[in-house]
Amino acid sequence: APPAAAAVVVPVFPCRAAFKLQEVIRRCADVWPVRTSWIAADIGASPGGWTSVLVDYGAAKVFAIDPGELSAVVLARPEVEHIALRVGDYTPTLLSQAVALDAIVCDMNCHPRIAVDAVLAL
């Protein structure tokens, strides 16, 4: 009899967008944070796919910034802080806390110029 095929484990994410970020990480592995404790911001985080990937790849803290809802599974992760605001409304608060972000990802549904401005403001 032929050997049994190995089982393929496919991660479960709240949305398929998570696979986009996994591909970015794979292609940019040489510049991805490798420290044991790093902090990220996920702009346009709802429903939480990218936030999940950031935690899975070692983020100690992820600011999931989006007025939309996050998946209950994502919200249950202790590394995740959901900021239920638009990024422009939360940026002054984050800057006043002097948080050093090691990674910023953005999958916000908006004009690209607005997304770039949001990332550069952090």
Side-chain angles (χ1 to χ4, degrees):
V8 176
V9 177
V10 177
V12 177
F13 296 113
C15 64
R16 292 174 15 121
F19 297 109
K20 292 190 293 186
L21 185 56
Q22 283 186 319
E23 181 64 13
V24 168
I25 293 170
R26 187 186 69 76
R27 290 179 183 228
C28 301
D30 57 330
V31 295
W32 198 255
V34 292
R35 292 188 303 239
T36 56
S37 180
W38 53 279
I39 301 172
D42 180 3
I43 303 170
S46 180
W50 285 22
T51 300
S52 292
V53 171
L54 292 167
V55 173
D56 289 347
Y57 279 82
K61 174 84 166 189
V62 178
F63 293 95
I65 306 169
D66 195 309
E69 294 182 12
L70 292 185
S71 154
V73 173
V74 175
L75 284 171
R77 299 186 81 163
E79 303 89 351
V80 175
E81 181 176 341
H82 181 210
I83 309 301
L85 297 170
R86 297 170 68 98
V87 67
D89 296 333
Y90 186 67
T91 298
T93 301
L94 190 59
L95 293 175
S96 73
Q97 295 173 356
V99 174
L101 296 170
D102 299 295
I104 302 170
V105 297
C106 180
D107 196 20
M108 192 167 50
N109 183 15
C110 64
H111 187 277
R113 182 75 248 167
I114 294 170
V116 169
D117 289 346
V119 169
L120 292 177
L122 293 176

